[in-house]
């Protein structure tokens, strides 16, 4: 078309057609992109990477991602260690459970044995008491002589006692005394000094042994010239220990004003305020005395109630203390000092 001439169409339509044609051509044949080209909306310069729209650089993002990865790796290793430790703990717990079950069985076995031993122990104590009683009964005809000097009997101890015992006890025996055996206890002392050994004399007749014991209790220590001889019954060791334990409580019995008596073989009879009891075990008696002593202490610590005291003149001019008779016991009619009403 010649320059300067018009075609009758608006000039803007031609420019639109050109732009439309160019866009259609690029759509059909897009330009080849260089792989080194940056993505759209990203501006690159020769220096460091530019910051994005949020103000965070790509290097920092990569660093944070790397740090998170390392942390995750550490957490993975920690989880693996924790899993292994948990597995070992489970194995240990299973072993403990097996041990506890075994211990439960052993404890049940021990309890069964202890129960049987308790029954056997009670039976054993009963048998022991019966054995002690049998031993004491077998010694009923025995007499224990203490204080008889060594060698005074000469060569025949049996004949010496047969002649001496009736004299020192002032008893005439019919038939005469007869002994099954007589001997001193323990080996003979080589130096001949010290306390003389005791003598055990087994009489043939029990009645004669009882007569000698009764005479010895009535007369006290027997006299052979200037020598004192004590005569006592012969008991087993268990019975002797019980008798000594009972006798050790005599001071407390006297202090508590308790009447008592020790009877054969080993039993203590007491009377307190008309109440009589018999004890076969010293521990039971000791417990009973503890209760009595506690009661006596409570009685001593009880305080009297306060009295209503007033002063009244007496014939001598001194004040005389009186009280309300409904509230207490009598006080000293002439107290020291002045009493306030």
């Amino acid at each position: 078309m010649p320059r300067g001439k018009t075609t009758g169409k608006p000039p803007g339509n031609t420019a639109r057609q050109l732009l439309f044609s160019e866009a259609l051509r690029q759509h059909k044949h897009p330009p080849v992109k260089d792989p080194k080209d940056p993505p759209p909306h990203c501006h690159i310069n020769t220096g460091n990477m530019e910051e994005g729209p949020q103000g965070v650089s790509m290097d920092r993002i990569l660093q944070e991602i790397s740090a998170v990865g390392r942390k995750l790796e550490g957490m993975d290793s920690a989880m693996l260690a924790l899993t292994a430790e948990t597995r070992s703990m489970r194995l240990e717990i299973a072993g403990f459970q097996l041990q506890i079950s075994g211990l439960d069985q052993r404890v049940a076995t021990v309890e069964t044995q202890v129960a049987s031993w308790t029954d056997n122990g009670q039976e054993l104590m009963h048998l022991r008491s019966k054995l002690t009683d049998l031993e004491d009964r077998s010694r009923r005809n025995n007499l224990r002589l203490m204080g008889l000097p060594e060698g005074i009997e000469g060569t025949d101890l049996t004949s010496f006692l047969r002649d001496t015992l009736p004299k020192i006890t002032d008893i005439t025996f019919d038939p005469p005394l007869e002994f099954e055996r007589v001997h001193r206890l323990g080996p003979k002392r080589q130096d001949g000094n010290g306390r003389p050994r005791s003598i055990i004399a087994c009489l043939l007749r029990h009645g004669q042994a009882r007569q000698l014991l009764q005479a010895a209790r009535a007369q006290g220590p027997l006299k052979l010239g200037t020598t004192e001889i004590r005569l006592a019954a012969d008991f087993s060791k268990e019975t002797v220990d019980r008798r000594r334990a009972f006798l050790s409580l005599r001071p407390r019995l006297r202090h508590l004003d308790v009447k008592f008596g020790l009877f054969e073989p080993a039993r203590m009879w007491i009377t307190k305020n008309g109440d009589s009891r018999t004890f076969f075990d010293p521990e039971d008696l000791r417990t009973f005395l503890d209760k009595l002593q506690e009661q006596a202490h409570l009685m001593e610590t009880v305080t009297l109630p306060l009295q209503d005291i007033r002063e009244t003149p007496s014939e001598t001019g001194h004040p005389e203390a009186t009280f309300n008779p409904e509230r207490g016991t009598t006080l000293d009619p002439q107290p020291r000092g002045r009493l306030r009403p």
Side-chain angles (χ1 to χ4, degrees):
M1 181 179 294
R3 185 176 182 181
K5 294 183 179 181
T6 60
T7 58
K9 296 182 180 180
N13 293 335
T14 304
R16 290 194 185 100
Q17 290 178 358
L18 291 175
L19 290 175
F20 180 76
S21 299
E22 183 64 19
L24 183 61
R25 184 181 64 80
Q26 290 182 358
H27 177 72
K28 291 182 178 180
H29 302 284
V32 179
K33 294 183 179 180
D34 190 356
K36 296 182 179 180
D37 293 341
H41 306 291
C42 182
H43 303 279
I44 301 175
N45 55 13
T46 57
N48 294 332
M49 185 180 295
E50 295 182 357
E51 294 183 355
Q54 286 78 17
V56 180
S57 64
M58 293 301 295
D59 292 339
R60 185 174 179 182
I61 293 174
L62 292 175
Q63 291 176 0
E64 291 181 357
I65 291 174
S66 299
V68 171
R70 288 192 296 270
K71 290 181 180 180
L72 290 176
E73 291 178 356
M75 292 177 63
D76 290 339
S77 61
M79 288 296 294
L80 291 175
L82 183 61
T83 303
E85 186 176 358
T86 304
R87 187 180 294 109
S88 63
M89 291 178 63
R90 287 179 179 176
L91 293 176
E92 291 180 359
I93 292 173
F96 291 154
Q97 290 177 350
L98 292 176
Q99 293 180 3
I100 291 173
S101 61
L103 290 175
D104 290 339
Q105 294 177 359
R106 295 176 63 182
V107 168
T109 304
V110 170
E111 288 178 350
T112 305
Q113 292 179 355
V114 168
S116 64
W117 290 345
T118 302
D119 299 336
N120 295 336
Q122 294 178 355
E123 184 178 0
L124 181 61
M125 292 298 294
H126 178 65
L127 293 176
R128 185 174 180 179
S129 63
K130 290 185 67 175
L131 181 61
T132 302
D133 182 66
L134 290 174
E135 185 177 356
D136 291 333
R137 290 178 183 274
S138 67
R139 298 188 181 197
R140 292 178 66 186
N141 292 2
N142 291 358
L143 294 179
R144 185 183 291 263
L145 285 82
M146 294 160 285
L148 190 66
E150 296 272 354
I152 194 174
E153 68 275 9
T155 59
D156 191 355
L157 182 58
T158 303
S159 300
F160 177 79
L161 293 181
R162 186 184 297 113
D163 298 335
T164 303
L165 289 179
K167 293 179 182 178
I168 62 178
T169 56
D170 196 16
I171 300 176
T172 302
F173 292 98
D174 186 21
L177 291 176
E178 295 185 42
F179 298 92
E180 292 186 359
R181 61 187 181 277
V182 179
H183 62 89
R184 286 187 182 269
L185 295 177
K188 185 177 181 181
R189 296 182 176 88
Q190 299 297 329
D191 53 3
N193 298 325
R195 189 175 181 179
R197 294 174 296 167
S198 300
I199 297 175
I200 297 295
C202 180
L203 280 76
L204 181 62
R205 299 175 179 86
H206 175 68
Q208 293 178 347
R210 305 307 301 177
Q211 286 180 323
L212 290 172
L213 286 175
Q214 291 174 2
R217 292 193 185 100
Q219 298 177 20
L222 303 176
K223 293 287 187 177
L224 180 61
T226 58
T227 304
E228 289 188 356
I229 300 175
R230 291 190 297 119
L231 196 64
D234 185 35
F235 299 107
S236 62
K237 183 181 182 303
E238 290 78 7
T239 303
V240 171
D241 293 340
R242 286 169 56 198
R243 290 175 66 88
R244 288 176 179 173
F246 276 126
L247 294 176
S248 65
L249 298 175
R250 287 183 298 180
R252 295 187 62 184
L253 292 168
R254 296 191 185 100
H255 177 71
L256 296 173
D257 194 20
V258 178
K259 297 180 181 180
F260 62 92
L262 182 61
F263 296 92
E264 296 182 359
R267 55 190 178 94
M268 181 71 79
W269 172 84
I270 66 170
T271 299
K272 176 68 174 178
N273 299 328
D275 183 15
S276 299
R277 299 190 182 188
T278 303
F279 294 91
F280 295 90
D281 190 356
E283 293 299 326
D284 296 339
L285 178 58
R286 186 176 287 107
T287 303
F288 178 74
L289 294 180
D290 291 340
K291 293 180 180 179
L292 286 182
Q293 190 170 3
E294 184 178 357
Q295 293 176 0
H297 180 69
L298 291 176
M299 293 294 293
E300 292 176 357
T301 55
V302 171
T303 56
L304 295 176
L306 296 177
Q307 312 296 331
D308 292 335
I309 301 175
R310 64 179 182 273
E311 294 179 356
T312 56
S314 61
E315 295 180 356
T316 58
H318 297 285
E320 182 178 359
T322 60
F323 67 99
N324 187 349
E326 298 179 358
R327 297 195 55 186
T329 58
T330 306
L331 299 180
D332 188 1
Q334 294 181 355
R336 298 180 181 179
R338 183 180 180 84
L339 300 177
R340 295 181 180 180

